[in-house]
Amino acid sequence: MMTAQGRRGRRLAAIAVTVPVAAVVAAAAILRRLINGYRDPWKQRVSEAGFVLKRTLIGELDLSYAEGPDNGPPLVLLHAQHMDWFSYSRVLPRLSQRFHVFDIDYPGHGGTVVPPDYPMTASRIGADLAAFIENVIGEPVFVTGNSSGGLLTVWLAANRPQLVTAIVLEDPPLFSSEYPRIKTTIADRSFATCAQAVSDGLTAADDFLLYWIDSNKKFFTNNIAPGAARLLGAAVKAYRRAHPGEPVEVGLLPNDTVRLLLRGMDRFDPRFGAAFHDGTWNQHFDHADALTRIGCPALLLQADFTMLPDGTLNGAMSRDDADRALSLLPLHSYSKIDATHVIHLAEPQRFTDILEGFFL
């Protein structure tokens, strides 16, 4: 027979088990609500500013873009690799007040659809973007591009000068992304994952985001916490169940750049990154030669960078790269910005000030 003391012990043990389980269940429910209920507040602000998502056929390309109201000269925005048009959401409402903005998902990204054999090269993508400017916009444009979008901006200004009035290059990886030097940059770690994904048979229709998270478990463990990759993967799956067909938004992440990177990765074609890894993206596109052929005014913005102890470039450009680019650009300006790579997310007000001041 169990004594009174024994019965009290069992009750206390049951309570000790029940309380943590109840707390975990409650925490999980709160987490699900936070994940499922998150809506980026800039969606409404961009919509209220008059932006409309549109599609157009450019040859084999089904191009997706957001167009703002016609409040000034046309301005084309070309986002960074791994992102999409919405990375500019924090600057779109203000830019729309003085420009006619065309915010493009270029091939390999966002809602733009390409054939399975579409060549992921600057020359092919640049030619299709030029056709978009000619056929849809119909007049010369201002162009600004971030990262890989900055390289495409260089291509357009060098190869279709009649279409480009002036350019702002937002921390483009000039020279550093050319092969074989790309191997000495921290960005190539992500591109190597892209190449492995392609080798494993992933296509644009497959789940590159979860593949990327799983492939970088060590990074998440070292920089966030053990199990962070598994938690992030679970959050992505939960959001997709609650919002089928919508780009992933994980509001629990620490800043806009990380959140919008995951959104972009959700609809990213790994062939684009793989082309950087093996050098084919820059086929017939020599950065130095292209810079010397740009005749329009150009502003180069450089974000923060560091050199790791092993000589790896942690950033888009070194100062030597920036100096070399400026020596080749005939009509240039330069500004060093104390910000991370996606300047328009890190410093949106300063970015819009710069664009208005330079273009207008």
Side-chain angles (χ1 to χ4, degrees):
M1 177 180 293
M2 183 176 290
T3 65
Q5 184 177 356
R7 288 193 292 272
R8 283 197 300 272
R10 289 188 62 177
R11 285 197 297 272
L12 288 173
I15 292 171
V17 171
T18 302
V19 170
V21 169
V24 169
V25 170
I30 293 171
L31 187 62
R32 281 195 300 271
R33 286 198 296 272
L34 287 172
I35 292 170
N36 298 343
Y38 178 75
R39 283 290 187 275
D40 192 312
W42 286 90
K43 281 185 174 180
Q44 182 174 349
R45 298 174 196 178
V46 168
S47 177
E48 290 172 350
F51 281 87
V52 178
L53 278 175
K54 298 183 177 182
R55 311 191 71 85
T56 188
L57 292 177
I58 303 293
E60 300 178 290
L61 196 63
D62 181 6
L63 191 75
S64 174
Y65 65 101
E67 181 179 351
D70 186 355
N71 289 333
L75 169 63
V76 170
L77 306 178
L78 300 173
H79 55 77
Q81 186 170 174
H82 295 328
M83 291 194 159
D84 69 353
W85 74 272
F86 196 69
S87 81
Y88 284 104
S89 54
R90 279 61 175 161
V91 298
L92 288 179
R94 181 173 157 189
L95 288 177
S96 70
Q97 295 173 11
R98 302 185 70 183
F99 297 96
H100 187 182
V101 177
F102 295 85
D103 187 359
I104 300 173
D105 280 340
Y106 54 77
H109 298 77
T112 289
V113 179
V114 302
D117 59 349
Y118 183 89
M120 292 296 176
T121 66
S123 296
R124 175 57 189 271
I125 296 170
D128 284 335
L129 291 174
F132 173 85
I133 295 170
E134 288 179 315
N135 299 331
V136 176
I137 302 177
E139 61 179 300
V141 298
F142 296 123
V143 188
T144 182
N146 177 215
S147 196
S148 302
L151 297 180
L152 290 169
T153 301
V154 169
W155 191 97
L156 284 168
N159 293 282
R160 299 293 189 274
Q162 73 279 11
L163 299 178
V164 180
T165 304
I167 59 174
V168 172
L169 306 174
E170 183 187 351
D171 207 33
L174 290 166
F175 315 120
S176 63
S177 60
E178 291 182 303
Y179 193 89
R181 190 176 160 210
I182 185 68
K183 301 291 187 183
T184 68
T185 68
I186 201 166
D188 191 54
R189 298 176 185 178
S190 179
F191 303 152
T193 301
C194 295
Q196 186 61 51
V198 172
S199 177
D200 290 344
L202 261 73
T203 68
D206 295 317
D207 199 333
F208 178 71
L209 175 56
L210 290 181
Y211 180 97
W212 180 82
I213 292 171
D214 185 67
S215 298
N216 290 279
K217 285 186 287 191
K218 183 178 179 181
F219 169 83
F220 289 107
T221 296
N222 293 342
N223 291 276
I224 302 176
R230 184 175 59 186
L231 179 61
L232 182 57
V236 167
K237 293 174 184 177
Y239 188 89
R240 286 173 172 170
R241 286 193 297 270
H243 309 285
E246 296 183 21
V248 163
E249 295 180 351
V250 182
L252 300 175
L253 292 170
N255 60 55
D256 287 343
T257 301
V258 176
R259 278 194 294 273
L260 295 179
L261 174 69
L262 286 192
R263 173 194 162 101
M265 288 280 219
D266 190 36
R267 299 187 297 172
F268 176 70
D269 187 339
R271 294 188 306 124
F272 192 98
F276 272 77
H277 181 66
D278 66 18
T280 55
W281 196 88
N282 286 300
Q283 187 176 27
H284 307 306
F285 175 47
D286 179 87
H287 295 184
D289 173 68
L291 289 169
T292 62
R293 292 187 287 110
I294 294 176
C296 67
L299 170 60
L300 177 62
L301 305 180
Q302 184 176 20
D304 294 336
F305 70 92
T306 58
M307 298 299 297
L308 301 184
D310 64 357
T312 299
L313 173 63
N314 182 15
M317 292 182 292
S318 68
R319 184 56 209 248
D320 287 344
D321 293 326
D323 288 342
R324 183 184 177 198
L326 295 173
S327 73
L328 297 169
L329 279 167
L331 299 173
H332 70 260
S333 300
Y334 171 82
S335 183
K336 174 67 176 66
I337 310 295
D338 184 14
T340 50
H341 180 50
V342 187
I343 298 170
H344 61 264
L345 282 172
E347 296 286 347
Q349 182 170 336
R350 186 170 184 190
F351 180 78
T352 50
D353 287 343
I354 288 170
L355 260 59
E356 290 177 355
F358 185 73
F359 286 145
L360 300 180

